[in-house]
Amino acid sequence: MSVAKVAALAYYPVKGLAGIPVETADVGPTGLLNDRLFMLVQPDGTFLSQRKLPAMATLRAELAGDALRLSAPGAPDLEIEIRYDGKRRDVSLFEKWFGQGIVQDPAADEWFSARLGAPAALVRVTPEHERPGWGVNRGLTGFGDAHALMITSQASLDGLNARILEHGGNAIPMNRFRPNLVVSGWAEPHTEDKVLRMTAGAVEIGYSARGIRCAVPTVDQATGAKSGPEPTRTLATYRREPAYGGGVSFGVKGAVLAPGNIQVGDEITVQEWIPDGTDPAPDRRS
């Protein structure tokens, strides 16, 4: 019998930009260290994402001490000093959360605007930022959509790709789903749907909700170009979620119940399963 393990870890310093794979990570209440602590906003403070600007996938931000290094294909690199506090501006996510962000270097705004062809300003979470998620285990999140962790499994991707190939499409990589944690060793696709509580390394994780997917998985994360209709077309044939407004799901959202360190290769142990045929967290976002 195979053992479930952590197959991959990644964090996303700036919401919507390229992910940074890591072999080990400290995990706090809002997820992997430095995950989605920054985001890009429009002039009115509304967040920007690959939903409207798929080219964001090709932009990369990496933390280097108290600096943020920005890079993109064919563009000059830029390094800015991180501003942890100071001037603030109003920001919002999905017209459901309204708060403030710390204004960063105007040079970064110019750099992002030039790359994206649209006005974009970089902000960071405030020192007092404390935004609850939603679902059976709410937890906290930074500028993530609504949860600390996105969890997927290799078995789920293998099952999805088998269906895509069966219908003449091309297999897709896991990075289309932008997970924080990928699990290997589960025999059945979507085993993550059934886990109410598990440990991975020193971290305890609680189920929050199914991962309802938007248009971002149709974006090629290497080129920043939409290459749909997959995987949405195939997911719609077997992963419709009436309790979540009819969207399609892949992976689950998780809350951090106990922080700690996690490493690729760590064993995953399930403490509690969700009863078969049930979902404790239908869409009841406040």
Side-chain angles (χ1 to χ4, degrees):
M1 181 177 179
S2 60
V3 175
K5 293 185 177 182
V6 177
L9 296 166
Y11 75 102
Y12 304 81
V14 180
K15 179 179 178 65
L17 268 57
I20 308 297
V22 292
E23 291 294 311
T24 182
D26 290 328
V27 180
T30 61
L32 271 66
L33 182 67
N34 296 317
D35 186 58
R36 296 174 174 93
L37 293 185
F38 298 83
M39 72 175 174
L40 295 173
V41 297
Q42 302 176 55
D44 66 357
T46 304
F47 81 106
L48 290 170
S49 83
Q50 291 184 34
R51 295 165 177 83
K52 293 185 177 180
L53 293 172
M56 289 175 67
T58 64
L59 308 185
R60 187 178 179 91
E62 292 189 74
L63 286 123
D66 291 325
L68 191 66
R69 294 173 180 166
L70 309 177
S71 60
D77 293 351
L78 177 67
E79 183 171 305
I80 63 166
E81 183 179 348
I82 296 171
R83 297 177 180 176
Y84 298 96
D85 207 347
K87 184 179 179 182
R88 301 171 179 223
R89 64 173 298 168
D90 293 335
V91 297
S92 66
L93 285 157
F94 300 108
E95 298 183 348
K96 291 180 178 291
W97 179 82
F98 299 87
Q100 290 194 316
I102 303 300
V103 174
Q104 299 299 300
D105 192 327
D109 300 348
E110 295 177 7
W111 189 92
F112 281 116
S113 298
R115 307 286 81 75
L116 296 172
L122 183 67
V123 298
R124 188 185 184 278
V125 297
T126 63
E128 69 276 11
H129 181 94
E130 188 168 318
R131 177 179 162 229
W134 68 276
V136 63
N137 289 295
R138 292 172 64 85
L140 298 173
T141 183
F143 285 142
D145 282 359
H147 304 86
L149 297 168
M150 166 53 71
I151 302 162
T152 60
S153 72
Q154 187 60 47
S156 298
L157 182 67
D158 291 345
L160 168 61
N161 278 331
R163 292 171 183 261
I164 292 175
L165 291 170
E166 184 180 330
H167 293 95
N170 296 317
I172 64 167
M174 185 67 85
N175 66 7
R176 292 283 192 94
F177 298 103
R178 300 173 60 79
N180 295 115
L181 189 161
V182 179
V183 181
S184 64
W186 281 331
E188 294 296 322
H190 308 293
T191 298
E192 58 269 32
D193 292 358
K194 305 172 184 178
V195 178
L196 185 61
R197 191 166 53 90
M198 71 181 191
T199 57
V203 181
E204 184 176 354
I205 299 167
Y207 176 94
S208 289
R210 297 278 177 96
I212 305 303
R213 312 313 308 210
C214 60
V216 171
T218 65
V219 176
D220 185 321
Q221 296 296 300
T223 65
K226 284 197 173 184
S227 60
E230 298 296 0
T232 305
R233 179 173 63 183
T234 295
L235 286 172
T237 66
Y238 73 111
R239 293 290 293 179
R240 284 284 183 197
E241 302 286 357
Y244 293 81
V248 299
S249 71
F250 187 94
V252 298
K253 305 293 185 71
V256 178
L257 303 182
N261 182 264
I262 190 170
Q263 299 183 42
V264 171
D266 279 346
E267 186 171 334
I268 289 175
T269 304
V270 176
Q271 272 83 34
E272 188 174 359
W273 296 93
I274 296 169
D276 287 345
T278 67
D279 180 356
D283 190 354
R284 294 196 177 100
R285 278 174 275 191
S286 58

